[in-house]
Amino acid sequence: MNTATGSGYLESLLREQPALPASPLAWLNRLRANAVERVGALTVPSARDEDWRFTDISPLTKMPFQPVTRAAKLEAAAIERFTLPEAGARLAFVDGVFAPELSYNRTAVTVANLATGAGRHAALLEPHLGRHAGFADNVFAALNTAFLHDGALIVVPRDVAVAGPLHLLFIATQPEAASYPRCLVAAQAGSAVTVIEDFVALQEAAYFTNAVSEIVLSDNASVSHVRVQRDSGAAFHIANCAVSLAHASRYRSVSVALGGRISRYNLNVLQAAEGAQCAIDGLALITGRQLADSHTCIDHAWPNGVSRQLHKCIVDGSAHAVFNGKILVRPGAQRTDSSQSSRNLLLTGKARVDTKPQLEIFADDVKCAHGATVGQLDAEEVFYLRSRGLSDAAARNLLTYAFGAEIIDRIPVASLKQRLESIVLAQTNH
Amino acid sequence: MIYQDSTTVLEVRGLRASVNGIEILKGIDLTVRTGEVHAIMGPNGSGKSTFAKVLAGHPAYAVTAGTVSLEGRNLLELAPEARARAGVFLGFQYPIEIPGVANSQFLRLAYNTVQAQRGSDELDPLEFDDFVREKMKLLEMNPDFLDRSVNEGFSGGEKKRNEILQMALLEPRLGILDETDSGLDIDALRVVAGGVNQLAGKDNATVLVTHYQRLLNYIVPDYVHVMDGGRIIKTGGSELALELESRGYDWVSAEYKNAARATA
Ligand SMILES: Nc1ncnc2c1ncn2[C@@H]1O[C@H](COP(=O)(O)OP(=O)(O)O)[C@@H](O)[C@H]1O
Ligand SMILES: [Mg+2]
């Protein structure tokens, strides 16, 4: 049997699904049941699917990942190095299971576990949960939705600006564990919040993280979304994030992918009303035999939308980075102003990048700029630094670091920025 | 300034260099002694920047003949960073922008690298901050430039001030300034020239590369060399610069060709 496309593998992933406790919300149970049904109808994508052309996930299908039955109890000290002093709240999930003893909320807004918080916010949740990150033809989103239970629920009421960032910490501890992180952020009209999704590992194990996030911005809301994927180098990480922008709302995101043997991030931003703005930046810093794939889509569906995107990859060893950046400007989305840049640094002859800007423009009064570069370090820049006394290696390290730091710099949380800068510094030090 | 008890800083003999197999420098001789300021002038494309970059060790240029020594040391066998540590400084015609690296970080790294080589103390970020701010006053530079990325978004004049700031920090034996005057308005030119004059001393030497006479109103050279076709075809005192300003370069080339024909 061909496990890469056969249904046997997906069935095996669903084995523990019936054991999930039923939700008191009937619609939520129906949502899960629909998702189970979709998993049954779909197959694991292969290289024959255009969207997965460069990303061979067959190694994933060779492992019998299952959700953990008993979550590990972690001491606070075990996650000390991941704490962010600025955070107004933290929700911690250990192998996908909510860990209240590692979580806190000092803010006045809802930052709660989905499984328990859903009831209180049911009216608000129902129109959003599972509605933005569609799973009809996305088997990983369907799997996640089938397992929808613990997760992060953030509701920021009208005109409230949350002071500190909200830290969602997903901690992997067990080999062969499958976890299905889920996140819903509802930023109501005029509100402002910074949300950090942080995927970390306590050991170098092979596990499977399959995450889905939905972020909904009402009129004039502003959300800053930081995503750090620092999984174990043996892990599989697949994530889908759907963002919906209402009138004049502003979404900024910085995604950093450092870990994972194979990682894939799909980010879909829909400008669902006039005058929405988004800036989505990304950095993949990978080495060895890692593969990091980022597929983004910015859907300009209404007039006067603005989008900015800078995606960078630093590829060392025989690693492989993939970027597919789609910009869709629908008919009528006049005066769209969009720019996209993909910049890639290959540090070895064996490193590889496949980058594809994909512009689909159906309106005529638009400004769309895009560009992609793939290359080695600039020889003139290296010489400039050497002429100031830096060794060839020091000059190269500094320039590589700087290439990545340009993205890290855009993270609006000082402690996280510093921590990532030292990771990038260490990883670019040859 | 020409001093009696000066010593030789730079000695270039019969230097030939090529890039991508094309010979650009076709036999250059030049001696620079402590305390001296030399100007190398010449039309665009005559090889001035190539000469400057070859002295600094740019790897794109292959030296095919000749010798270069710095205070008696064979410079050609040294990597660019070793030349910098030995006291060669090149102020770039087009300073490189490095987004993502704070100027203060870059300046301190360069300073400490060279200090360590000279057996002097390195400075921590706080100490360095005080030190560099003093040097910036000399160039009337806004301290905000410390927090910005190296040269990124700097105007032409700001980049050139940043080059001179680096020279002030590194205190080279030999400062080679490539077209430091280009892109400067008159006020910036005065400030930059003032900085160079202040740094020029009895124990170091300066080579100014320029194709305008303008800079030489502010920094008076002891020698003026005319470069053309990869050779130094005439050498004179500061008055030669004024003559070049009024008469152009053609007459020097003609004179050189006639002399060459006469000896042939
Ligand atoms: N990297 C290079 N590749 C090819 N030609 C070069 C290169 N660098 C310089 N040259 C050529 O060498 C000549 C001298 O250039 P340059 O030294 O920049 O002159 P100057 O500084 O006097 O204007 C020019 O003809 C230029 O085109
Ligand atoms: Mg030049």
Side-chain angles (χ1 to χ4, degrees):
Chain A
M1 191 190 82
N2 180 356
T3 53
T5 53
S7 60
Y9 179 67
L10 291 172
E11 269 166 30
S12 81
L13 288 182
L14 280 178
R15 200 179 64 209
E16 300 295 326
Q17 199 275 343
L20 218 57
S23 165
L25 301 171
W27 60 265
L28 210 158
N29 291 322
R30 271 200 308 278
L31 183 69
R32 279 191 201 150
N34 288 344
V36 170
E37 199 184 295
R38 285 315 297 159
V39 176
L42 294 167
T43 54
V44 176
S46 75
R48 284 191 299 274
D49 295 277
E50 181 58 29
D51 258 2
W52 293 85
R53 203 148 70 90
F54 299 110
T55 301
D56 173 15
I57 50 171
S58 59
L60 169 71
T61 63
K62 303 208 164 63
M63 298 230 193
F65 298 105
Q66 293 298 331
V68 297
T69 42
R70 245 180 334 131
K73 278 267 177 273
L74 297 181
E75 297 297 322
I79 62 161
E80 177 60 33
R81 64 195 158 108
F82 303 119
T83 58
L84 302 176
E86 302 96 323
R90 177 174 69 214
L91 294 183
F93 299 85
V94 179
D95 297 312
V97 179
F98 179 58
E101 70 283 4
L102 301 175
S103 304
Y104 65 87
N105 181 10
R106 293 192 204 109
T107 73
V109 304
T110 300
V111 184
N113 182 16
L114 252 177
T116 48
R120 224 174 321 131
H121 295 277
L124 189 123
L125 278 182
E126 191 179 350
H128 295 307
L129 196 64
R131 313 291 167 196
H132 301 281
F135 53 81
D137 50 9
N138 182 329
V139 71
F140 293 107
L143 270 167
N144 177 289
T145 308
F147 281 96
L148 208 163
H149 186 60
D150 280 355
L153 170 64
I154 296 171
V155 182
V156 187
R158 175 180 276 272
D159 294 330
V160 171
V162 184
L166 310 179
H167 189 195
L168 309 180
L169 184 62
F170 301 95
I171 309 148
T173 73
Q174 297 188 31
E176 301 199 358
S179 73
Y180 298 97
R182 185 86 193 194
C183 173
L184 176 69
V185 178
Q188 297 187 320
S191 68
V193 65
T194 295
V195 178
I196 302 160
E197 290 184 286
D198 192 3
F199 298 87
V200 305
L202 296 187
Q203 53 166 315
E204 270 300 294
Y207 54 87
F208 176 33
T209 299
N210 175 0
V212 171
S213 304
E214 291 168 294
I215 302 177
V216 187
L217 287 77
S218 302
D219 292 355
N220 288 305
S222 162
V223 171
S224 179
H225 176 204
V226 181
R227 181 176 211 283
V228 184
Q229 185 272 95
R230 33 180 168 163
D231 275 307
S232 114
F236 298 90
H237 181 112
I238 294 181
N240 286 280
C241 177
V243 182
S244 174
L245 303 183
H247 182 81
S249 61
R250 293 171 305 281
Y251 172 72
R252 294 199 53 94
S253 84
V254 180
S255 317
V256 180
L258 304 171
R261 176 172 169 205
I262 295 176
S263 69
R264 165 69 173 255
Y265 182 47
N266 294 331
L267 172 61
N268 293 312
V269 181
L270 169 66
Q271 299 197 344
E274 252 197 75
Q277 301 188 6
C278 64
I280 63 179
D281 298 316
L283 171 69
L285 172 60
I286 50 174
T287 185
R289 303 186 54 81
Q290 287 182 287
L291 184 153
D293 178 347
S294 177
H295 270 58
T296 64
C297 174
I298 301 173
D299 184 345
H300 288 276
W302 288 81
N304 294 313
V306 177
S307 67
R308 296 282 175 269
Q309 181 172 27
L310 174 60
H311 190 84
K312 288 188 162 187
C313 300
I314 304 175
V315 192
D316 203 350
S318 38
H320 181 186
V322 180
F323 172 66
N324 190 104
K326 181 166 158 180
I327 308 279
L328 173 60
V329 182
R330 293 187 188 262
Q334 298 296 10
R335 296 170 305 281
T336 289
D337 175 358
S338 157
S339 80
Q340 178 192 66
S341 166
S342 158
R343 297 190 54 207
N344 304 281
L345 194 53
L346 300 178
L347 298 181
T348 69
K350 284 193 175 135
R352 173 177 161 194
V353 64
D354 290 288
T355 176
K356 183 175 162 204
Q358 196 184 336
L359 270 67
E360 296 180 7
I361 301 172
F362 302 102
D364 49 15
D365 180 15
V366 300
K367 211 161 83 189
C368 289
H370 69 105
T373 60
V374 177
Q376 279 83 41
L377 289 171
D378 184 89
E380 295 302 319
E381 293 180 9
V382 174
F383 175 63
Y384 187 61
L385 293 177
R386 293 178 76 189
S387 79
R388 299 301 182 251
L390 277 69
S391 69
D392 186 51
R396 287 175 187 280
N397 291 345
L398 183 63
L399 291 171
T400 309
Y401 165 76
F403 187 86
E406 190 184 5
I407 300 292
I408 305 281
D409 253 359
R410 300 182 180 191
I411 293 177
V413 182
S415 66
L416 182 62
K417 191 162 98 174
Q418 269 168 24
R419 209 123 358 127
L420 291 175
E421 276 171 355
S422 34
I423 292 174
V424 175
L425 196 60
Q427 205 163 321
T428 52
N429 226 313
H430 285 75
Chain B
M1 197 96 72
I2 300 173
Y3 295 94
Q4 284 303 313
D5 55 349
S6 65
T7 58
T8 301
V9 178
L10 179 74
E11 179 99 53
V12 179
R13 287 288 163 265
L15 180 68
R16 289 173 175 268
S18 52
V19 58
N20 301 327
I22 306 161
E23 184 167 75
I24 311 283
L25 302 184
K26 298 175 177 162
I28 292 186
D29 297 295
L30 179 68
T31 302
V32 178
R33 301 174 67 83
T34 49
E36 294 175 352
V37 175
H38 291 239
I40 298 181
M41 304 186 68
N44 266 325
S46 58
K48 304 182 299 295
S49 290
T50 301
F51 182 45
K53 284 191 254 187
V54 165
L55 293 179
H58 195 300
Y61 299 89
V63 172
T64 52
T67 59
V68 179
S69 62
L70 182 84
E71 298 180 317
R73 240 172 119 180
N74 178 2
L75 208 56
L76 295 178
E77 67 181 18
L78 299 182
E81 57 270 31
R83 298 186 195 196
R85 294 171 198 169
V88 176
F89 178 88
L90 171 61
F92 281 53
Q93 179 170 6
Y94 303 109
I96 308 290
E97 299 188 5
I98 312 177
V101 176
N103 204 25
S104 57
Q105 181 191 1
F106 163 67
L107 295 171
R108 193 170 71 89
L109 204 54
Y111 176 78
N112 280 342
T113 306
V114 170
Q115 286 294 101
Q117 175 77 13
R118 294 175 188 163
S120 312
D121 284 342
E122 300 185 21
L123 297 182
D124 70 27
L126 282 177
E127 294 167 332
F128 182 75
D129 196 61
D130 291 341
F131 178 69
V132 73
R133 278 166 193 266
E134 277 308 306
K135 301 276 181 190
M136 288 175 93
K137 280 187 196 153
L138 169 77
L139 294 160
E140 297 176 21
M141 262 178 101
N142 187 328
D144 289 352
F145 285 102
L146 290 173
D147 299 326
R148 294 177 45 183
S149 287
V150 179
N151 293 327
E152 192 191 26
F154 289 25
S155 72
E158 289 157 356
K159 284 181 182 167
K160 295 301 168 73
R161 286 186 205 211
N162 207 36
E163 293 292 288
I164 304 303
L165 175 63
Q166 291 164 48
M167 183 162 93
L169 291 169
L170 301 180
E171 298 183 332
R173 312 290 290 163
L174 175 69
I176 306 158
L177 301 177
D178 192 0
E179 307 278 3
T180 291
D181 49 338
S182 67
L184 296 188
D185 62 31
I186 207 74
D187 286 332
L189 184 64
R190 183 185 46 75
V191 171
V192 165
V196 173
N197 282 330
Q198 212 161 321
L199 296 171
K202 200 171 183 302
D203 298 319
N204 58 29
T206 309
V207 174
L208 302 171
V209 172
T210 179
H211 66 279
Y212 288 124
Q213 191 270 337
R214 201 169 74 131
L215 178 67
L216 307 181
N217 290 333
Y218 297 88
I219 309 172
V220 180
D222 302 301
Y223 298 95
V224 172
H225 311 276
V226 178
M227 188 176 259
D228 194 17
R231 291 186 183 87
I232 289 177
I233 59 169
K234 189 176 181 69
T235 293
S238 62
E239 71 291 344
L240 176 56
L242 293 169
E243 199 174 356
L244 293 169
E245 176 78 355
S246 57
R247 295 179 63 195
Y249 290 109
D250 289 350
W251 65 275
V252 192
S253 303
E255 197 181 273
Y256 180 75
K257 276 182 199 132
N258 285 338
R261 217 171 288 133
T263 56

